[in-house]
Amino acid sequence: MNIDFIGAFVVGLMGAGHCIGMCGGISAVISMNSVKTGYPRWLFILLYNVGRIVSYTIFGFIIGGLFVSIASTSESYSALVYLRIFAGLLMCLLALYIANWWKGLVYIEVIGKKLWQYISPLTKPLLPLKSPFHAIPFGFLWGWLPCGLVYSTLSWAAVSGSALNGSLVMLAFGLGTLPAMFLVGIGAHTFHTLINHKLTKNISATLLLIYGIHTVYIALQQLI
């Protein structure tokens, strides 16, 4: 299996605390909505996350295909190598962000806020969710929420080599975020406390930092 797929899954898993902070409130809204419909809460939460992961997968397909096209047009192998260095540096910034060591990644999220201004109104007609299946398009739209964690992983999709690989990188990332988002959504408060514990965040951040440095090192070796 491609190490980028594994890495993307680990990023999603280790960045779970950030995901909860960004989307935890939405899970609470969906949970309250499910009480009024009579459908089980877990089904709403699951299908919301399915929609969210589908949106990530489509992002990866578009970004992966776009950048491989640019690289083939420019006929410059070094362009992809430099992009991989950039991806590794973003991973290091993400590690600092998760551990609350430095919040510089917030500035990258600002880039997506203008786009979100146009997308967020599209979610309002879907509420209240009439059935669990309405949670899929709702989750798909919320997948566009500005998020440094997503942007960091998209940089991996960009250097994955193809549209298919880009989509698989983002699919792996989305699946990595699923356990935390699902368990917190159904009210697993113990898991919420564990994933947001300072020690858990520091361990996760350290692993991501090591992986980011390794990514940059391998890319630099390719330039020599």
Side-chain angles (χ1 to χ4, degrees):
M1 182 180 289
N2 190 313
I3 190 171
D4 282 347
F5 302 158
I6 299 173
F9 179 83
V10 172
V11 168
L13 198 63
M14 295 296 162
H18 178 68
C19 290
I20 293 168
M22 294 289 288
C23 302
I26 301 305
S27 296
V29 170
I30 295 174
S31 295
M32 289 186 291
N33 181 93
S34 66
V35 175
K36 301 175 183 178
T37 64
Y39 291 100
R41 178 172 55 178
W42 67 265
L43 188 55
F44 277 93
I45 298 298
L46 177 62
L47 294 182
Y48 160 77
N49 282 289
V50 167
R52 185 176 58 84
I53 293 171
V54 167
S55 71
Y56 295 161
T57 304
I58 293 175
F59 293 164
F61 185 86
I62 294 171
I63 294 296
L66 176 64
F67 276 87
V68 76
S69 297
I70 293 173
S72 62
T73 301
S74 64
E75 297 181 353
S76 174
Y77 170 75
S78 62
L80 282 178
V81 177
Y82 284 120
L83 192 57
R84 184 167 285 275
I85 292 173
F86 177 70
L89 292 174
L90 273 183
M91 194 59 53
C92 292
L93 291 179
L94 176 62
L96 299 178
Y97 182 82
I98 288 175
N100 292 320
W101 294 333
W102 188 59
K103 291 291 187 179
L105 201 63
V106 170
Y107 299 108
I108 297 178
E109 292 181 352
V110 173
I111 298 173
K113 286 185 177 179
K114 292 191 178 295
L115 178 60
W116 180 242
Q117 290 175 357
Y118 297 100
I119 296 176
S120 59
L122 300 177
T123 65
K124 294 179 181 178
L126 295 171
L127 293 173
L129 301 175
K130 297 179 178 63
S131 77
F133 293 101
H134 285 85
I136 297 177
F138 185 73
F140 180 86
L141 291 173
W142 270 92
W144 293 78
L145 181 72
C147 175
L149 188 67
V150 175
Y151 295 161
S152 299
T153 314
L154 275 174
S155 67
W156 280 12
V159 298
S160 62
S162 70
L164 177 60
N165 283 343
S167 65
L168 291 176
V169 165
M170 294 307 295
L171 174 62
F173 164 74
L175 292 175
T177 66
L178 182 59
M181 291 298 295
F182 180 74
L183 288 173
V184 171
I186 62 174
H189 297 296
T190 301
F191 184 82
H192 189 184
T193 302
L194 174 64
I195 206 69
N196 280 300
H197 193 278
K198 184 176 180 179
L199 179 61
T200 304
K201 285 187 173 183
N202 287 343
I203 292 174
S204 301
T206 301
L207 291 174
L208 290 178
L209 186 60
I210 292 171
Y211 196 87
I213 293 172
H214 173 74
T215 299
V216 173
Y217 173 76
I218 294 298
L220 289 174
Q221 289 292 104
Q222 293 174 334
L223 289 175
I224 298 176

